[in-house]
Amino acid sequence: MQDQNKDPNKRPPVRRVVICGGGTAGWMVAAGIAKVLGKRLDIKLIESDEIGTVGVGEATIPTLMNFHNLLEINEQEFMAETQATFKLGISFEEWRNVKENYIHSFGFTGTDHWTAGFQHFWHKGVERGLASDYGDYCLELKASLEHRFAHLPNNGMNYAYHLDASRYAKYLRRLSEPRGVQRIEGKIVRYTKHEEGDMRGDVRSIVLESGQEIEGDLFIDCTGFRGLLIGDAMEETMEDWSQWLFCDRAIAVQTEAVADAIPLTRSMAHQAGWQWRIPLQHRVGNGIVYSSRYLDDDTAQKQLLRNVEGRTLITPRVIKFKPCQRRQTWKGNVVAIGLSSGFLEPIESTSIHLIQRSVVRLMQMFPTTGGISQSDIDEYNAQCNSEINHIRDFIILHYHVNNRTDSQFWIDCREMSIPASLQHRIDLFRETGRVFRVPNELFAENSWIQVMLGQGIMPTSHHQAADLMGDEELKRFLGNIKANVDRTVVQLPTHEAYVQRYCGRPEPVKAA
């Protein structure tokens, strides 16, 4: 007789977690789950040495610090293990127009009033001839231009890292295995599904090439673009965003370091996309991102190799992708994390952030003792979709608002229709100077302001609170902020010297 009190939407308690795939995504998931629930769960990670990872996500944003705090990671140890350097922002070169550059830095600019952001007071200063460049009032931006860095009291410097993604995955593995994660070497060749009962349609097991079958209650799909479980098994489709984001190819290559590492990711626009340059302690990560509609692979590779410094260390490889997102990243008993959930190009270094947010969100909504709940699944997906939509709009902004006329790619980006949500943000800033952060949104007001100003959007008005300051008071207000920034920057050591000292690296041998 059927139990009348049994909820048909509930599944059995989750005790066995199977992470399908390693790399950055798989081991971030393993590290997070093991740290929080390792004593209660049986955690297995399936990884094949034969299957390579994309492994080009080397630039991060400050939110990674939250994840590292959760894992109780020692920063100096982490940086030494991953050959990391510090990052204060991204240098956008020729995005607005040829020979016009700007920086999207971390941290804050100026001092806000409760009614109005600093940009309103700066805007009035510009009108009155009392203000210099907006970036002059941001410590992180000025320090990045001078290639300087140091840890400051009270977290006075906001920063992230450039890191070796392959070494990072290995580092997280060393943290995870002592906390109960069992790594199983093998290639997944198929899966089985439950055929009846409350679990009907859910994944029951995965089967390795060796014939070994591994059952689980919750499966984390970290199989990359393949999306074996979320795509094949659960038949969850992608929402295609290529009508707004034209780039669908990347070529990555590593080179020897021939100059001091700087605390900036370089993003250099070209006629059909852009090129990155990421300095690590031991080498430099390079890559070109482009649209196959405007540039073929051979030409893109030649263009990339012409614009790198130092000897190449690996053979360049083409990575094909589609800018998209799963409509549901959690379906049944499968959660897609990393490239299996979708992909937005690395222009704002959000890939590792999205993995981290997915891990933290999963921990917050991890199935209760009552099993997987549909309400948790729905909330998880709603939060994922909201966050990715905001990031998508922020990335589209970089392409759409440009003054370049040197190629059809940039002209088409400027003339395309954009999401209404982004158009509203642009109109609001242009007409009023206002930026409002949506709850739980990744990019704060200062990020939107720096990019919109950098791309050439200048507000036509400002908040009346700024008019309460007379010229002398406004001049003094702006001058004090700029002076404090300048005074701090000149006291900072160079980034290269600080990294050497902080990570225990020997001083480089000078040529005779």
Side-chain angles (χ1 to χ4, degrees):
M1 182 175 178
Q2 186 174 1
D3 185 353
Q4 299 298 316
N5 295 319
K6 187 175 182 180
D7 186 344
N9 294 318
K10 297 287 185 181
R11 297 169 174 86
V14 171
R15 295 289 181 263
R16 301 168 299 172
V17 176
V18 181
I19 303 168
C20 300
T24 304
W27 285 109
M28 286 183 75
V29 173
I33 296 179
K35 180 64 172 67
V36 178
L37 293 171
K39 295 179 180 179
R40 291 184 56 85
L41 301 174
D42 172 22
I43 307 169
K44 291 182 173 66
L45 184 145
I46 318 304
E47 183 177 39
S48 172
D49 290 332
E50 295 180 25
I51 300 176
T53 60
V54 173
V56 298
E58 298 181 319
T60 66
I61 56 179
T63 53
L64 186 62
M65 232 78 76
N66 299 328
F67 187 67
H68 284 188
N69 289 337
L70 168 68
L71 298 181
E72 298 180 319
I73 283 177
N74 177 281
E75 184 179 67
Q76 287 173 285
E77 176 187 85
F78 148 74
M79 292 189 68
E81 291 285 334
T82 63
Q83 292 292 286
T85 58
F86 295 104
K87 173 184 172 183
L88 292 173
I90 304 171
S91 174
F92 285 98
E93 302 171 22
E94 303 194 337
W95 279 78
R96 175 180 176 179
N97 209 341
V98 176
K99 297 183 180 180
E100 294 185 22
N101 306 331
Y102 70 93
I103 290 176
H104 170 205
S105 65
F106 304 136
F108 305 94
T109 301
T111 304
D112 293 342
H113 183 267
W114 71 271
T115 60
F118 172 76
Q119 73 271 17
H120 294 278
F121 299 90
W122 171 80
H123 183 268
K124 182 185 178 181
V126 171
E127 287 186 340
R128 304 294 293 172
L130 304 173
S132 58
D133 187 82
Y134 185 75
D136 288 344
Y137 306 93
C138 177
L139 173 62
E140 289 82 1
L141 192 149
K142 292 289 286 185
S144 71
L145 286 173
E146 298 290 333
H147 301 171
R148 295 177 179 271
F149 180 86
H151 290 92
L152 297 180
N154 302 315
N155 298 317
M157 183 84 82
N158 294 277
Y159 64 89
Y161 310 101
H162 301 126
L163 56 84
D164 185 315
S166 297
R167 291 183 181 223
Y168 186 51
K170 293 175 183 176
Y171 175 69
L172 293 176
R173 176 182 172 182
R174 288 196 294 273
L175 293 181
S176 303
E177 289 182 315
R179 292 171 174 167
V181 177
Q182 179 188 358
R183 179 189 183 273
I184 298 175
E185 165 66 29
K187 185 183 296 184
I188 303 172
V189 293
R190 63 185 179 89
Y191 52 82
T192 68
K193 299 177 73 172
H194 292 277
E195 297 181 354
E196 57 184 22
D198 293 347
M199 299 286 285
R200 188 171 187 266
D202 284 0
V203 173
R204 186 181 72 84
S205 69
I206 52 101
V207 181
L208 305 185
E209 192 173 48
S210 65
Q212 181 180 2
E213 183 175 8
I214 301 168
E215 296 184 348
D217 304 313
L218 181 68
F219 291 83
I220 314 298
D221 188 341
C222 298
T223 61
F225 291 129
R226 183 184 181 193
L228 175 66
L229 299 185
I230 192 68
D232 290 355
M234 306 308 291
E235 300 181 345
E236 186 54 50
T237 58
M238 292 282 197
E239 183 178 353
D240 187 351
W241 289 337
S242 55
Q243 73 270 34
W244 298 312
L245 298 169
F246 299 162
C247 292
D248 59 357
R249 296 285 192 280
I251 303 176
V253 68
Q254 300 166 5
T255 59
E256 289 182 335
V258 296
D260 289 350
I262 65 174
L264 276 173
T265 299
R266 292 185 64 191
S267 174
M268 302 164 279
H270 60 75
Q271 291 189 334
W274 60 281
Q275 180 178 335
W276 76 75
R277 187 174 296 166
I278 299 172
L280 307 181
Q281 293 183 37
H282 62 313
R283 62 168 173 79
V284 176
N286 306 269
I288 188 169
V289 179
Y290 58 100
S291 170
S292 61
R293 285 182 280 171
Y294 302 85
L295 190 66
D296 64 80
D297 296 343
D298 289 341
T299 304
Q301 179 168 315
K302 292 175 183 176
Q303 182 174 322
L304 169 64
L305 295 178
R306 281 197 305 268
N307 196 30
V308 298
E309 300 174 344
R311 181 175 64 90
T312 58
L313 302 176
I314 62 171
T315 302
R317 57 196 178 99
V318 177
I319 302 166
K320 298 180 180 180
F321 63 87
K322 178 183 289 186
C324 58
Q325 175 71 9
R326 298 280 177 190
R327 288 180 168 82
Q328 297 182 89
T329 52
W330 185 348
K331 186 173 183 180
N333 67 340
V334 173
V335 182
I337 295 180
L339 297 177
S340 61
S341 69
F343 183 70
L344 289 176
E345 61 170 87
I347 181 175
E348 280 286 353
S349 310
T350 56
S351 294
I352 290 178
H353 165 80
L354 287 170
I355 296 170
Q356 168 206 327
R357 284 293 302 133
S358 296
V359 174
V360 172
R361 187 177 289 119
L362 179 60
M363 290 299 89
Q364 292 171 336
M365 300 181 193
F366 198 84
T368 66
T369 54
I372 297 174
S373 165
Q374 187 61 46
S375 59
D376 270 341
I377 294 175
D378 294 342
E379 180 62 25
Y380 182 95
N381 287 326
Q383 290 189 21
C384 284
N385 290 336
S386 176
E387 180 174 39
I388 198 69
N389 284 340
H390 295 141
I391 295 174
R392 176 205 66 193
D393 284 1
F394 191 61
I395 292 175
I396 295 171
L397 170 68
H398 296 65
Y399 286 103
H400 177 62
V401 183
N402 77 83
N403 295 323
R404 292 186 62 146
T405 58
D406 59 312
S407 72
Q408 194 61 45
F409 171 83
W410 290 101
I411 293 171
D412 290 348
C413 286
R414 184 167 58 251
E415 294 180 349
M416 69 180 173
S417 298
I418 60 174
S421 50
L422 174 57
Q423 189 63 59
H424 168 70
R425 286 183 184 263
I426 293 173
D427 293 342
L428 183 68
F429 184 72
R430 179 180 283 123
E431 295 169 11
T432 71
R434 294 189 177 96
V435 176
F436 292 104
R437 185 180 188 180
V438 177
N440 297 319
E441 181 181 5
L442 170 58
F443 293 105
E445 292 92 334
N446 195 47
S447 292
W448 283 92
I449 293 167
Q450 287 186 95
V451 173
M452 286 197 280
L453 288 175
Q455 293 291 137
I457 303 175
M458 185 68 173
T460 58
S461 61
H462 55 256
H463 197 290
Q464 292 190 47
D467 292 326
L468 297 175
M469 281 190 182
D471 283 1
E472 285 303 315
E473 185 182 3
L474 181 60
K475 181 179 180 180
R476 186 165 56 252
F477 171 72
L478 296 172
N480 287 339
I481 294 172
K482 183 176 183 300
N484 286 334
V485 168
D486 291 341
R487 188 162 47 247
T488 302
V489 169
V490 297
Q491 296 174 356
L492 299 174
T494 66
H495 171 259
E496 179 71 15
Y498 192 84
V499 170
Q500 287 176 4
R501 185 167 66 249
Y502 188 66
C503 295
R505 292 169 55 203
E507 292 292 330
V509 177
K510 301 294 184 182

